[in-house]
Amino acid sequence: MDINTLRALATPIAFVAFIAIIAWTFSKGRKKGFEEAANLPFADDDDVSDVQRKSSVEKNTNE
């Protein structure tokens, strides 16, 4: 196996990884989390701690 074979294998693997990241980013299940994260800079300190607490509770229940 030479370097060109490794390059030939790495290209489709990288492409599949790229498509997987794009699919994960634009999936409907992630939309709520991304919207909350996008609004964090505009939230008050009390609101931020509530969102972070909710987020950590949801993560613990999903595990």
Side-chain angles (χ1 to χ4, degrees), residues 6-18:
L6 291 175
R7 289 178 182 161
L9 292 173
T11 301
I13 290 171
F15 181 71
V16 169
F18 176 75

Side-chain angles (χ1 to χ4, degrees), residues 2-56:
D2 62 344
I3 190 72
N4 290 327
T5 305
L6 291 175
R7 289 178 182 161
L9 292 173
T11 301
I13 290 171
F15 181 71
V16 169
F18 176 75
I19 297 300
I21 291 170
I22 296 297
W24 173 78
T25 303
F26 289 106
S27 66
K28 291 182 182 181
R30 302 292 308 163
K31 185 175 182 177
K32 182 179 176 185
F34 287 146
E35 286 178 354
E36 287 178 3
N39 289 323
L40 280 177
F42 306 111
D44 291 335
D45 288 337
D46 294 335
D47 294 339
V48 171
S49 62
D50 291 341
V51 169
Q52 288 174 343
R53 191 175 327 110
K54 260 194 257 181
S55 176
S56 65

